[in-house]
Amino acid sequence: MIFCPADYASLPRCKALIDSCWIPLLMNHRFVRRLTSSALHSRIFSSNPPIFRFNPSPTPNVILPKARVKSRLLTPIPLDELLAQHRRTRRGLLAPTSSRTSAQGPGDKHDLAYEVFPRLLRQARLYMDSCDAQSLHLELIKRGFAGDLFFSNNLINLYAKAGDLSYARELFDQMQERNVVSWTCLITGHAQNGFLDEACRLFRMMIRSGLEPTRFTFGSVLRACQDSGPDRLFLGTQIHGLVSKTWHSTNTTVCNALISMYGGCRLDSTWDAQRVFDWTPAKHFITWNSIISVHSQRGDTISAFELFSGMQTGRIGCCLRPNEATYGSLITATYSCSNGGCILEQVLANVFKSGFSKDIYVGSALVSAFSRFGLLDRAKEIFEQMDEKNAISMNGLMVGLFKQNLGEAAVEVFRETRGSVIINSDSYVVLLSAISEFSKSEEGRKKGMEVHGHAIRTGLIASSIAIGNGLVNVYAKCGAVDDAAKVFDHLNVKDQISWNTMISGFDQNGFSKESLSSFRLMLRNDIQPSNYAIISTLSSCANLRLLSAGVQVHCIGTKLGLDMDVSVSNSLLTMYGACGRMSDCRRLFSYMTKFDQVSWNSMIGALASNKVFLTESLRIFLDMTRRGWCPNKVTIINVFTAVSALSDIVMCRQVHNLVLKHGMSGDIVLENALLSSYAKSGEMDSCECLFRKMADRRNEVSWNSMISGYIQNGLMQKAMDFVWFMIHNGPKMDGFTFATVLSACASIAALDSGMEIHAFGIRSHLETDVVVGSALVDMYAKCGRIDYASRVFESMNSRNEFSWNSMISGYARHGNGDKALEVFRKMQQWGQEPDLVTFVGVLSACSHAGLVEEGLKYFESMKNHGLVPQTEHYSCVIDILGRTGKLNEMEDFIKRMPVRPNNLIWRTVLVACRRSKDGAKSGIWKQACEMLLELEPENPVNYVLISSMYASRGRWEDVAKTRTAMRTLPVKKEAGRSWVTSHDGLHVFVAGDRSHPNTEEIYAELHVLIQKIRDAGYVPQAEFTLYDIDMETKEELLSYHSEKLAVAFVLTRSCRVPIRIMKNLRVCGDCHSAFCYISKIVGRKITLRDCNRFHHFENGKCSCGDFW
């Protein structure tokens, strides 16, 4: 509330009365300014009286007559009465009796002024027009009253009320004489017009000038502090200290202003406002409404209703009836209550009882409140029963509707009501917010364009920045980011909300880079970011995995004091988790003082996404439940992510029980997560049982989870059967389903099944889908048909980074390094930016093709694309150098690496040393052995590599020791196996295997085949037998390798199609040599895929050129 100033201080008699009553005026302002907030509190609140207890003792340092105190506290003198008294006094002073009797005396001039100008003043106050104020000002100058204090004060007041503060300030600066009313009028004008900082600055200047503030001065500057929020809490506390030294400390008007000030500035507590209320001697209904409003705004429903009860029962010596403002605050108090709907019904009954049911203010508040609680029928009923509706009531109903995701219904309310109410700019802002919540984004965009056109025609978009912000929000939420950016660029004025909306719009639509750019521009334009801008920018950093940018945003948030905001902290957790900085994530979580559900979910999700911290994520989940937090859907999904990665069936069942306990078993998202978790734990029987129970709730994700589960558990035949079952009984297969099945076909090189899925995709009109096309390229490349992969790739109308990466990796895997590099160059010509995966494919292509110089050149070019090499890229470069025998260069490269070599690097080094003839001379292989055993002492693969290295050097004692140590490991080495796919299914073989039904035929065919290739010149390479045994036994073991058994099995069949064999480990040198001879003898093309690459054998030669 803004208090109008009175000109009583210019009255001589009134001033004399004040001077006689003001005994010890403690106005040591410098001392007051030096006080800290806590020191001021100790001086202002010297005791601690209980709430609702009245202390009638006056301020110790103020002695006033009782009658005067009563008048000042309970019946403030109205402004008009003070002005009339002032007019009579000035007439008596300016026009003596002798003068007034003369027809031409000076009294006539003053009589005319005091008869004519009050009418002009009333007219100017009525219209509050700057032109009327200027006309009156000109008339006063003409009649010689330019320097009159009374008229100058009124002119300042008129200019301020008309919003013309420049004229008001100019007149103020020109005044030869100023009093407290002059200052008060100017301070009030600035506070009324939103120039809060200037109002506070003027108050400080007034204090320095030595004038004593009035209750109206205090009221206006306290309102300026209130509207400024927490930033002005310290100044408001200083003013309170100043008030406590004057007799205004017991003035009801000033106390009301202090209560409202603490309510607006002290956001974390109601203690200060409550203390002022307790110390107020005479509590007016405004006093009660102010303190009830403070408690309502803080969500303290109980205290608000206790005060409401005390106000009516007279427990503090008075009994007041609540008015419309009281009920408005009570309705607000229900917002923070869990059973607010029930309390709201009781408030409604009290409103009817008190006769305020027809009040437009109370009715509007009730409509908004019932809408907020989702009681839309009740809200509409009250809205329709209102005799008089206004924009506020309509806006309240619309807000409630769109908050319940009923944007279309809110727009319908606007359409039906706009003819009967006066629409304001806030109505259009609410309308735009409702449009942004449309279920169909395209429909929302069209409606937004209609409002946009109306705003341009009527000039609303230029006059109200809120409407411009609303349009940006509508376009952004409807996916029209380009339109949102155009509206944003054309805004004449951009405030903090404008930037927040644009940054958030870019982030939510996946334009993370543009979001970061907008945040930089916001800072350059000296707009202070809010917590919303920080949250959206951190989300963009997380999406881009830009740790450096995220750290910078974190620093900015810390400087602004926003890092303590729980939502900002949650975003920081997500950002650090997405960037893999788990240590920072855990440190931040430990420093947080406030948590909400999102905090726990963010921490659990961040840890669950990192395989190293899966167990810790479950520990955080248990800690959450022990502290009394109830898990929600997001919590359970994050826990399932960790449980699935751990393949812990016991924990999976426990979480399933938790889902049942909390009544979330019918949620399709949780059931799909449960399906995936059971599948990754190997419990396909539980998956099938749960899938049957989901008969009426299955969606595409459910079917895809089952297919993925069968594939992950090696049940390829069941997976394919399930695909056909889905085709005939389930929903229409989407691109993800096709990609999943094609990926499964690629993993086991099931070319025939992959081609069947390809044909079905064509019939389903999905061949143009970029995801399906990329999956087809990958499937054909991994199944050995690089020609088919190239044909699909060339036929694709649109390509993404996965398409290009699949083609480059495919050529690299088949040893076609030149073609892989050609595709890479074409990728850059098409404007597709390469990523980290692209360079892994490029460097692998150089490695398989022996392109050393090209590989090093491409490795150095990564920084030109803004990419930082990862461990995989360093491993590729080491492999390039190692394959070509450049062991010294390889060792130098490892020493220059900015990252510490990990197990992948050392394994690559050991393989390179074993392959090279000079490997034993280099001491790096010993270092590689030591580091592998140190980094992964329980990984059997490391022991196999070390044993192989010793065997190649003839160190059989070390081989025996290594194999003995390997037998004590809890994890066993994966056995080498080869498999072929034929019309009757998948046939798998291991070395020396005799479990196949056609074993006798296979071994007979193999003996014949070995003899033929021996006659053709094949000589067994005994060095690939890692046992210290006689030569004949070594040759026998070599002849029974799994890939030789697989080719013998295929040769027992009568078909003449090319032979395709897959192996899970790297093919040995002896088998590679044997396959060259076999392809020439049998006259058939043989394709062998091992764990590294493809070998195409034809007419005695391999596509790798023996460089592999």
Side-chain angles (χ1 to χ4, degrees):
M1 180 180 293
I2 296 292
F3 303 96
C4 297
D7 199 9
Y8 63 88
S10 64
L11 298 175
R13 287 179 297 174
C14 184
K15 191 174 187 304
L17 176 61
I18 292 174
D19 292 339
S20 64
C21 296
W22 212 298
I23 296 179
L25 183 58
L26 303 177
M27 297 293 289
N28 189 358
H29 308 309
R30 294 181 183 175
F31 173 70
V32 172
R33 285 197 298 273
R34 286 199 303 269
L35 288 178
T36 62
S37 184
S38 59
L40 283 173
H41 280 199
S42 64
R43 285 163 172 76
I44 296 168
F45 304 121
S46 56
S47 61
N48 186 24
I51 298 178
F52 303 136
R53 183 173 296 174
F54 172 60
N55 188 350
S57 59
T59 305
N61 293 329
V62 179
I63 301 176
L64 293 175
K66 292 183 178 179
R68 190 63 177 169
V69 172
K70 180 177 180 181
S71 173
R72 287 287 179 188
L73 293 179
L74 299 180
T75 56
I77 301 175
L79 177 60
D80 291 339
E81 182 182 338
L82 285 173
L83 290 176
Q85 182 181 357
H86 175 56
R87 185 166 54 248
R88 289 193 298 272
T89 304
R90 289 184 65 85
R91 286 175 61 185
L93 293 173
L94 293 173
T97 306
S98 59
S99 299
R100 289 199 304 271
T101 58
S102 173
Q104 300 298 326
D108 292 338
K109 175 181 176 182
H110 295 288
D111 288 343
L112 178 62
Y114 284 108
E115 289 175 4
V116 176
F117 291 140
R119 175 172 55 80
L120 296 176
L121 284 169
R122 284 193 296 273
Q123 180 182 354
R125 287 196 192 105
L126 179 63
Y127 296 104
M128 287 192 183
D129 192 335
S130 179
C131 294
D132 290 335
Q134 292 176 23
S135 300
L136 179 61
H137 192 180
L138 181 62
E139 193 66 30
L140 286 170
I141 294 173
K142 288 179 179 179
R143 293 185 179 272
F145 286 94
D148 186 89
L149 181 62
F150 169 73
F151 289 121
S152 296
N153 288 345
N154 276 278
L155 280 172
I156 291 173
N157 196 29
L158 287 175
Y159 279 130
K161 287 184 176 179
D164 199 342
L165 293 175
S166 58
Y167 277 110
R169 185 58 188 269
E170 184 179 354
L171 176 59
F172 178 83
D173 292 338
Q174 293 173 357
M175 291 173 64
Q176 299 296 324
E177 179 188 0
R178 302 181 192 127
N179 62 5
V180 68
V181 180
S182 313
W183 288 93
T184 303
C185 289
L186 195 61
I187 292 170
T188 303
H190 281 83
Q192 284 177 327
N193 287 278
F195 296 93
L196 308 176
D197 292 339
E198 184 64 17
C200 296
R201 193 180 71 84
L202 287 168
F203 178 77
R204 292 193 186 97
M205 292 173 61
M206 173 186 168
I207 296 298
R208 292 193 194 103
S209 68
L211 289 173
E212 301 159 359
T214 67
R215 56 187 170 131
F216 301 109
T217 317
F218 282 126
S220 295
V221 73
L222 286 171
R223 177 56 188 269
C225 293
Q226 173 190 343
D227 293 341
S228 298
D231 294 339
R232 291 293 180 187
L233 174 62
F234 186 71
L235 177 60
T237 309
Q238 287 182 315
I239 295 171
H240 190 178
L242 189 61
V243 169
S244 67
K245 297 183 178 184
T246 71
W247 59 274
H248 293 298
S249 61
T250 57
N251 183 274
T252 304
T253 303
V254 176
C255 289
N256 295 345
L258 282 168
I259 292 172
S260 298
M261 183 275 294
Y262 280 121
C265 296
R266 177 74 75 178
L267 301 182
D268 56 346
S269 172
T270 60
W271 186 85
D272 293 328
Q274 185 65 54
R275 296 292 294 159
V276 174
F277 174 80
D278 295 337
W279 275 102
T280 304
K283 296 177 175 63
H284 192 257
F285 69 90
I286 297 177
T287 315
W288 287 95
N289 288 345
S290 298
I291 190 63
I292 292 173
S293 175
V294 169
H295 283 286
S296 299
Q297 292 168 4
R298 299 297 174 277
D300 191 355
T301 309
I302 296 175
S303 297
F305 277 89
E306 283 181 352
L307 288 164
F308 175 67
S309 176
M311 175 183 184
Q312 298 176 88
T313 56
R315 283 184 287 172
I316 313 181
C318 62
C319 183
L320 298 173
R321 284 189 62 201
N323 60 6
E324 62 275 10
T326 315
Y327 285 113
S329 297
L330 287 178
I331 292 168
T332 304
T334 62
Y335 291 171
S336 58
C337 194
S338 57
N339 57 343
C342 300
I343 298 176
L344 201 56
E345 291 286 355
Q346 298 179 35
V347 174
L348 178 61
N350 204 300
V351 166
F352 276 107
K353 181 180 177 181
S354 303
F356 286 101
S357 58
K358 302 297 182 182
D359 184 84
I360 189 170
Y361 171 72
V362 178
S364 301
L366 284 169
V367 168
S368 179
F370 277 111
S371 300
R372 180 186 288 261
F373 285 109
L375 304 172
L376 301 179
D377 294 336
R378 199 78 166 113
K380 290 179 181 178
E381 180 184 349
I382 296 172
F383 181 74
E384 292 169 357
Q385 290 176 356
M386 292 174 64
D387 295 337
E388 181 184 357
K389 302 179 180 70
N390 63 1
I392 297 175
S393 54
M394 180 190 72
N395 295 348
L397 182 58
M398 290 172 62
V399 168
L401 288 168
F402 82 71
K403 282 190 174 180
Q404 297 294 321
N405 297 322
L406 298 173
E408 292 86 348
V411 173
E412 186 64 21
V413 169
F414 178 85
R415 190 185 64 81
E416 294 175 352
T417 315
R418 62 180 177 177
S420 57
V421 301
I422 299 175
I423 304 297
N424 56 22
S425 60
D426 291 339
S427 303
Y428 287 104
V429 174
V430 175
L431 176 64
L432 289 168
S433 299
I435 293 173
S436 68
E437 298 298 328
F438 269 29
S439 56
K440 296 181 179 179
S441 58
E442 183 61 27
E443 187 66 25
R445 190 180 68 84
K446 291 179 180 178
K447 288 291 181 183
M449 293 177 68
E450 293 179 14
V451 179
H452 191 179
H454 177 76
I456 293 174
R457 289 194 303 271
T458 57
L460 281 170
I461 194 170
S463 61
S464 174
I465 189 173
I467 292 179
N469 295 340
L471 286 168
V472 174
N473 182 51
V474 166
Y475 285 127
K477 286 192 174 179
C478 293
V481 185
D482 293 338
D483 294 334
K486 289 177 183 177
V487 174
F488 177 79
D489 292 338
H490 284 85
L491 289 176
N492 296 326
V493 180
K494 300 180 181 71
D495 62 2
Q496 191 183 67
I497 298 175
S498 311
W499 289 97
N500 291 347
T501 307
M502 195 67 253
I503 293 170
S504 175
F506 278 131
D507 175 62
Q508 291 172 0
N509 286 277
F511 294 88
S512 300
K513 292 182 180 179
E514 289 78 3
S515 175
L516 291 177
S517 299
S518 297
F519 185 75
R520 288 194 208 99
L521 287 174
M522 181 182 186
L523 296 176
R524 289 175 185 170
N525 283 272
D526 295 327
I527 303 295
Q528 181 173 307
S530 68
N531 55 339
Y532 299 106
I534 297 291
I535 290 168
S536 298
T537 308
L538 287 171
S539 174
S540 297
C541 294
N543 294 335
L544 296 171
R545 305 295 190 269
L546 284 178
L547 177 64
S548 58
V551 172
Q552 292 178 40
V553 177
H554 189 178
C555 292
I556 293 171
T558 302
K559 290 178 181 178
L560 298 174
L562 298 174
D563 58 320
M564 300 306 293
D565 182 273
V566 67
S567 298
V568 173
S569 298
N570 296 341
S571 299
L572 285 168
L573 286 173
T574 304
M575 185 274 294
Y576 282 121
C579 295
R581 294 296 292 266
M582 293 302 122
S583 58
D584 294 329
C585 209
R586 288 184 294 179
R587 187 183 302 113
L588 175 66
F589 188 74
S590 64
Y591 287 160
M592 288 175 63
T593 56
K594 294 182 180 179
F595 301 90
D596 60 7
Q597 188 82 48
V598 180
S599 309
W600 291 100
N601 292 345
S602 300
M603 191 62 197
I604 295 170
L607 294 171
S609 63
N610 192 306
K611 293 183 179 180
V612 180
F613 300 96
L614 297 174
T615 306
E616 188 173 352
S617 69
L618 297 179
R619 184 186 62 77
I620 295 290
F621 171 65
L622 294 176
D623 189 27
M624 170 187 172
T625 55
R626 291 191 189 105
R627 295 194 187 188
W629 289 88
C630 229
N632 61 7
K633 183 168 69 174
V634 178
T635 317
I636 299 297
I637 291 174
N638 289 335
V639 172
F640 273 135
T641 302
V643 172
S644 300
L646 290 170
S647 300
D648 190 338
I649 186 60
V650 176
M651 182 63 74
C652 182
R653 285 173 177 155
Q654 289 180 355
V655 179
H656 191 181
N657 291 335
L658 196 64
V659 170
L660 298 173
K661 177 181 177 181
H662 289 280
M664 294 186 284
S665 57
D667 190 290
I668 185 63
V669 177
L670 289 181
E671 287 179 325
N672 289 337
L674 191 57
L675 276 176
S676 178
S677 186
Y678 273 131
K680 290 180 179 179
S681 300
E683 282 289 317
M684 288 309 298
D685 292 340
S686 299
C687 282
E688 292 172 354
C689 180
L690 179 60
F691 188 79
R692 283 193 295 270
K693 293 179 180 178
M694 295 166 59
D696 56 338
R697 297 186 301 277
R698 298 171 190 157
N699 58 13
E700 292 84 355
V701 180
S702 312
W703 291 86
N704 292 340
S705 298
M706 288 297 296
I707 294 171
S708 300
Y710 285 126
I711 293 170
Q712 290 163 5
N713 287 278
L715 304 173
M716 189 60 194
Q717 191 57 49
K718 272 198 170 185
M720 297 305 298
D721 293 342
F722 202 82
V723 169
W724 304 129
F725 179 65
M726 179 180 180
I727 291 172
H728 294 96
N729 300 282
K732 183 180 178 181
M733 291 178 67
D734 57 7
F736 180 81
T737 311
F738 277 101
T740 302
V741 178
L742 288 171
S743 176
C745 296
S747 64
I748 61 170
L751 179 62
D752 295 337
S753 298
M755 295 181 72
E756 290 180 23
I757 298 299
H758 186 183
F760 186 77
I762 294 174
R763 291 197 299 271
S764 302
H765 306 290
L766 286 171
E767 71 276 9
T768 58
D769 186 283
V770 66
V771 176
V772 175
S774 302
L776 282 168
V777 171
D778 184 62
M779 184 272 295
Y780 280 124
K782 288 181 178 178
C783 288
R785 295 308 304 260
I786 191 65
D787 52 339
Y788 286 1
S790 177
R791 194 180 305 172
V792 172
F793 179 77
E794 294 298 333
S795 66
M796 292 176 66
N797 296 323
S798 61
R799 300 165 187 162
N800 58 14
E801 65 271 22
F802 303 107
S803 315
W804 293 99
N805 292 346
S806 297
M807 197 67 248
I808 292 171
S809 299
Y811 277 128
R813 198 177 291 114
H814 284 264
N816 299 330
D818 294 333
K819 288 187 176 181
L821 298 181
E822 182 183 346
V823 174
F824 177 67
R825 288 190 289 269
K826 188 184 295 185
M827 173 185 183
Q828 293 176 297
Q829 292 171 1
W830 280 45
Q832 180 67 54
E833 193 67 23
D835 57 11
L836 294 172
V837 179
T838 311
F839 277 98
V840 170
V842 170
L843 294 174
S844 296
C846 294
S847 175
H848 291 305
L851 304 173
V852 180
E853 299 300 328
E854 289 84 348
L856 295 175
K857 181 186 72 173
Y858 284 118
F859 177 79
E860 293 297 331
S861 70
M862 289 182 66
K863 59 188 176 188
N864 299 332
H865 299 276
L867 300 174
V868 178
Q870 304 297 309
T871 306
E872 294 82 2
H873 305 93
Y874 289 108
S875 177
C876 288
V877 174
I878 292 171
D879 190 49
I880 291 173
L881 297 172
R883 282 177 184 271
T884 53
K886 299 180 181 294
L887 299 184
N888 293 330
E889 290 86 343
M890 179 183 72
E891 189 172 356
D892 293 338
F893 182 80
I894 293 174
K895 291 178 180 178
R896 295 196 310 269
M897 282 172 50
V899 296
R900 184 183 179 187
N902 64 356
N903 52 353
L904 177 61
I905 298 289
W906 292 118
R907 273 199 289 269
T908 307
V909 169
L910 200 57
V911 170
C913 291
R914 187 195 183 286
R915 188 186 297 119
S916 174
K917 295 180 180 179
D918 299 328
K921 298 178 182 179
S922 174
I924 195 172
W925 74 271
K926 295 180 179 179
Q927 183 184 0
C929 294
E930 294 173 359
M931 293 305 300
L932 282 174
L933 295 178
E934 179 183 335
L935 292 171
E936 290 183 326
E938 295 185 354
N939 190 341
V941 175
N942 297 334
Y943 290 87
V944 172
L945 289 175
I946 295 171
S947 174
S948 175
M949 186 67 191
Y950 286 139
S952 65
R953 307 304 172 212
R955 297 173 57 172
W956 299 111
E957 291 183 4
D958 292 327
V959 171
K961 291 178 182 178
T962 305
R963 291 187 173 276
T964 302
M966 188 169 64
R967 293 189 190 97
T968 62
L969 298 179
V971 181
K972 301 303 178 184
K973 172 186 172 291
E974 181 184 13
R977 59 179 183 273
S978 301
W979 65 91
V980 294
T981 305
S982 64
H983 64 277
D984 57 349
L986 198 68
H987 299 265
V988 183
F989 301 91
V990 296
D993 185 17
R994 291 185 176 273
S995 61
H996 196 277
N998 301 331
T999 296
E1000 298 300 330
E1001 296 179 46
I1002 295 171
Y1003 275 84
E1005 181 68 30
L1006 180 59
H1007 290 152
V1008 174
L1009 188 62
I1010 294 295
Q1011 188 59 46
K1012 287 182 178 180
I1013 62 176
R1014 277 177 178 269
D1015 295 340
Y1018 161 72
V1019 177
Q1021 301 180 26
E1023 65 268 20
F1024 290 100
T1025 303
L1026 306 181
Y1027 296 95
D1028 186 17
I1029 52 179
D1030 61 89
M1031 185 62 66
E1032 183 178 352
T1033 307
K1034 285 185 178 181
E1035 293 179 0
E1036 183 180 0
L1037 289 176
L1038 288 173
S1039 64
Y1040 295 152
H1041 277 190
S1042 62
E1043 50 266 58
K1044 292 189 178 83
L1045 292 174
V1047 75
F1049 165 75
V1050 176
L1051 292 175
T1052 60
R1053 304 295 176 99
S1054 58
C1055 60
R1056 299 290 300 173
V1057 297
I1059 302 171
R1060 289 192 304 275
I1061 301 173
M1062 309 299 152
K1063 186 172 183 178
N1064 63 331
L1065 301 179
R1066 185 175 182 272
V1067 63
C1068 76
D1070 177 75
C1071 290
H1072 187 273
S1073 175
F1075 270 55
C1076 290
Y1077 285 97
I1078 293 172
S1079 66
K1080 185 175 182 179
I1081 289 174
V1082 301
R1084 293 170 67 175
K1085 183 178 180 180
I1086 303 174
T1087 299
L1088 174 63
R1089 189 190 85 177
D1090 65 8
C1091 61
N1092 291 328
R1093 58 167 297 162
F1094 278 88
H1095 298 269
H1096 298 278
F1097 301 95
E1098 189 173 11
N1099 198 25
K1101 295 182 180 180
C1102 179
S1103 59
C1104 70
D1106 293 334
F1107 185 83
W1108 53 281

